[in-house]
Amino acid sequence: MTPTNRDTSDLSHLTTLKLVQKSLKRDIPLEESLNALLKILARDMEYVRAFMVIMDPKTENLKLSLTYSPTQVEDVTYSPGRGIIGRVFDSGESITIPRLSDDPEFLNKAFGRSEKELKKLGFICVPVLNQHSDRTEVIGALSVDVPLIPADDLAAHCQFLEVVAGIIAGHVAQLQEEMATQNHMLTQGMMSGGPDATPPKDFVAASKAMRMVLRQSRQVAPSRATALLRGESGTGKELLADAIHKASPRADKPLIKLNCAALPVELIESELFGHQKGAFTGAFQTKRGLFEIADQGTLFLDEIGELSLDAQAKVLRAIQEKEIQRVGSEQTITVDVRLICATHQPLEELLKKGLFREDLFYRINVFPIFIPPLTERREDILPLAEHFLADFTEEYSKEVKRISTPAIELLVMYHWPGNVRELKNCIERAVLLCEEQVIRTYHLPPTLQSAESSATGTNLSFGEAVAKFEQELLIDSLKQTGGNMLQSARDLRVSYRIVNYKVKKYNIDVKKYSQSKTKSKRRHEM
């Protein structure tokens, strides 16, 4: 629709509102989501430009943050009450300008509009309001450039944008809160890099949950605060500890790791704090503990819930007093160690049972980071699988290039009780077994197999097993060709008639793969 076509405007408005809502529901960062929203407005409503300003909570100015425009945009800051956008922020009321060249207050430098363009464009600016129980707060403004249209049409578009502003108000408020948090972290020296900085090497984070984990790790890394990594076994706590250490000022110092569950209770204190020669049977020489070795660096204590109460007391002293004593020695040794702890146990339950010291819990729980299990972040499964595939094909000098579609479906459906560690072992096994260029369902472990999804590990006859394999090859090819049966026939080196026959025989919905590729293409274009 065009802004002058009033016959279809209501339908176009509703259609665009649905797209706006969908863009905000996607599992992507808020800023990226709002940028997509501006693109939808400009594209579907044929606005010349769409842009949004959000108040910077630190400076209390309106800072130009997001825009969708075909022209180069300069970085401009608006003060409340100055210019059209400033007036909207100051008054909380929408403003429409039928022709930009007729308004002397308009600040045209933000988009480099020419005098000729100003005579051909109108302008609409609406406030983004955050409703509180006792007041209404203006947290930003949504604006568009429109071609010259009648006053009634301009008013209709203004009302439409007010509805859009109401829909996105909560998201803008959340983004504003993130801006305030980032500013606070920066002023406190607790943050390096932006929220969407490049993830650490070997750390795959496609899901929103894992992006939040990485953001938290970047926030705590520059400080000396103790981080407590929580989550099930195999979720990647040790890898996250590596990332925190490498992003810290201690990156050039040692990162020492200890799994507290791997040693018996009688040896754990000696390992952590060292011992003097002759302190106990078998102590033939003096030994430095891990706290000493990690001096000026970082000490990662995995499964800290397994420490004895005596060891917990000494760890607490090392954190608070920065002093330790070797077993069998009365001499104190000063250490400067940044501690990162991890556990899969509910420490709160151990507190109630008297198995974990309350003072130590609050000392290490300064900055907790929870890593969700793999089954709760299924968006990470395929990227992780492809990451491990690339690693193991290189390590074992294999020519495996991809994972078949049915095998991917098995990976995504599985509940992964062993989390990322189990997925890594699964892909390693598949690479070792695979003698072709594609990992298929029968290369995956039996725990992933089922009678419905694979012919391997079942009581199927030879003919049924062949049919299953045939069906898998066909589905995989159709997925690659976007449902093009002629191209699939060429790829599989069979006739089109055979492909058509097999599609009907196995009751394969070809349209599903065609639609899947179309949707993927649209997402890429957006």
Side-chain angles (χ1 to χ4, degrees):
M1 100 147 203
T2 64
T4 57
N5 188 349
R6 302 192 61 184
D7 295 335
T8 59
S9 62
D10 290 343
L11 180 60
S12 297
H13 287 168
L14 290 174
T15 302
T16 305
L17 285 177
K18 289 180 179 179
L19 293 174
V20 165
Q21 289 178 319
K22 286 182 180 179
S23 72
L24 296 174
K25 288 180 180 178
R26 291 176 183 164
D27 191 16
I28 55 179
L30 284 174
E31 187 170 342
E32 186 178 337
S33 180
L34 291 172
N35 269 314
L37 177 147
L38 295 178
K39 184 175 181 179
I40 290 171
L41 288 178
R43 181 194 65 198
D44 290 15
M45 303 304 293
E46 294 195 1
Y47 295 139
V48 177
R49 296 179 183 88
F51 42 100
M52 184 184 304
V53 291
I54 301 172
M55 186 188 76
D56 185 342
K58 181 181 179 181
T59 63
E60 295 188 352
N61 282 336
L62 288 177
K63 184 173 180 58
L64 182 61
S65 299
L66 308 168
T67 183
Y68 180 74
S69 170
T71 59
Q72 183 66 30
V73 181
E74 298 177 10
D75 189 13
V76 177
T77 299
Y78 299 93
S79 299
R82 179 171 177 261
I84 303 301
I85 295 178
R87 280 167 48 197
V88 169
F89 175 77
D90 197 36
S91 66
E93 300 291 337
S94 301
I95 292 178
T96 59
I97 303 175
R99 189 193 304 269
L100 289 176
S101 59
D102 294 341
D103 195 301
E105 288 192 53
F106 193 78
L107 302 175
N108 65 330
K109 66 176 182 178
F111 294 99
R113 301 175 180 87
S114 65
E115 291 298 327
K116 183 178 179 181
E117 192 176 16
L118 291 176
K119 295 178 181 179
K120 294 183 178 181
L121 292 177
F123 182 75
I124 304 172
C125 183
V126 300
V128 180
L129 306 173
N130 190 18
Q131 302 287 345
H132 299 277
S133 57
D134 57 340
R135 60 189 172 88
T136 299
E137 178 187 16
V138 183
I139 56 177
L142 174 64
S143 310
V144 296
D145 285 1
V146 296
L148 298 182
I149 54 177
D152 289 346
D153 289 350
L154 197 66
H157 280 274
C158 182
Q159 291 177 348
F160 165 73
L161 290 172
E162 287 174 346
V163 174
V164 174
I167 293 174
I168 65 176
H171 298 269
V172 173
Q174 189 174 343
L175 186 57
Q176 185 194 48
E177 185 69 21
E178 289 183 3
M179 291 166 58
T181 301
Q182 291 168 24
N183 284 328
H184 173 71
M185 292 295 183
L186 286 169
T187 57
Q188 298 299 316
M190 295 178 63
M191 189 173 181
S192 60
D196 297 314
T198 304
K201 183 181 178 183
D202 297 330
F203 206 104
V204 177
S207 66
K208 183 177 181 180
M210 285 309 294
R211 287 199 299 267
M212 177 58 71
V213 167
L214 284 180
R215 178 177 299 183
Q216 291 174 327
S217 72
R218 286 192 291 268
Q219 289 171 343
V220 74
S223 72
R224 62 166 291 115
T226 302
L228 177 60
L229 314 183
R230 310 191 66 168
E232 296 178 4
S233 296
T235 50
K237 296 188 289 293
E238 184 174 341
L239 193 61
L240 187 62
D242 281 329
I244 292 174
H245 173 71
K246 289 176 182 177
S248 75
R250 300 168 182 254
D252 58 341
K253 302 298 181 180
L255 169 63
I256 307 299
K257 304 175 184 179
L258 175 67
N259 188 327
C260 300
L263 293 174
V265 175
E266 57 271 15
L267 293 181
I268 194 74
E269 290 187 36
S270 172
E271 192 70 20
L272 283 173
F273 309 108
H275 62 256
Q276 289 295 110
K277 181 179 179 180
F280 51 84
T281 304
F284 300 114
Q285 60 183 7
T286 299
K287 176 187 175 181
R288 297 168 66 212
L290 296 183
F291 268 95
E292 283 186 75
I293 298 173
D295 189 32
Q296 304 298 317
T298 304
L299 178 60
F300 174 55
L301 297 182
D302 198 3
E303 299 302 344
I304 193 171
E306 299 292 339
L307 284 180
S308 66
L309 290 174
D310 287 341
Q312 290 175 32
K314 293 184 178 181
V315 169
L316 179 63
R317 182 188 176 190
I319 298 173
Q320 291 181 335
E321 308 296 333
K322 298 182 180 180
E323 291 181 348
I324 63 167
Q325 284 183 321
R326 292 175 182 165
V327 176
S329 173
E330 295 181 358
Q331 181 183 359
T332 59
I333 301 173
T334 301
V335 292
D336 178 14
V337 174
R338 197 269 180 85
L339 199 63
I340 301 176
C341 303
T343 182
H344 76 281
Q345 299 188 63
L347 294 183
E348 293 81 1
E349 294 298 322
L350 296 182
L351 284 176
K352 294 178 182 178
K353 296 177 182 178
L355 299 177
F356 202 86
R357 293 179 62 101
E358 186 175 5
D359 47 5
L360 178 60
F361 171 75
Y362 290 117
R363 193 63 185 81
I364 66 174
N365 198 40
V366 175
F367 200 101
I369 302 177
F370 176 74
I371 306 178
L374 190 56
T375 188
E376 292 182 10
R377 46 185 176 101
R378 294 190 176 276
E379 306 96 316
D380 291 328
I381 293 176
L382 182 55
L384 280 167
E386 292 176 339
H387 172 74
F388 295 140
L389 177 63
D391 283 351
F392 289 124
T393 50
E394 180 179 357
E395 180 178 348
Y396 297 119
S397 300
K398 290 273 192 171
E399 296 294 329
V400 185
K401 294 183 178 179
R402 62 185 179 87
I403 306 172
S404 72
T405 299
I408 290 173
E409 291 174 353
L410 274 185
L411 293 173
V412 174
M413 287 190 300
Y414 186 57
H415 59 289
W416 299 108
N419 292 295
V420 180
R421 185 184 293 118
E422 183 181 7
L423 175 60
K424 182 177 181 180
N425 294 339
C426 169
I427 299 300
E428 182 176 14
R429 175 187 187 274
V431 170
L432 288 170
L433 290 175
C434 187
E435 298 296 337
E436 48 185 310
Q437 294 187 340
V438 181
I439 289 179
R440 305 197 183 278
T441 55
Y442 51 81
H443 295 130
L444 301 178
T447 50
L448 273 69
Q449 311 292 339
S450 67
E452 292 78 17
S453 58
S454 173
T456 305
T458 69
N459 295 321
L460 297 180
S461 67
F462 177 76
E464 291 172 327
V466 171
K468 280 285 185 181
F469 179 58
E470 196 174 57
Q471 184 177 357
E472 179 180 336
L473 286 175
L474 187 54
I475 290 176
D476 193 32
S477 177
L478 288 170
K479 182 70 177 293
Q480 295 296 318
T481 63
N484 187 328
M485 292 195 295
L486 185 60
Q487 185 59 46
S488 291
R490 294 194 190 105
D491 293 345
L492 296 172
R493 288 177 286 184
V494 296
S495 67
Y496 175 83
R497 183 181 63 82
I498 291 179
V499 170
N500 188 46
Y501 167 74
K502 297 296 184 182
V503 165
K504 293 178 179 178
K505 176 182 178 181
Y506 299 127
N507 195 27
I508 299 173
D509 184 4
V510 177
K511 292 182 179 179
K512 179 174 70 173
Y513 302 104
S514 176
Q515 292 171 352
S516 175
K517 188 163 187 176
T518 301
K519 289 178 181 177
S520 176
K521 183 178 179 182
R522 286 176 180 170
R523 284 196 297 268
H524 179 72
E525 289 175 348
M526 286 187 64

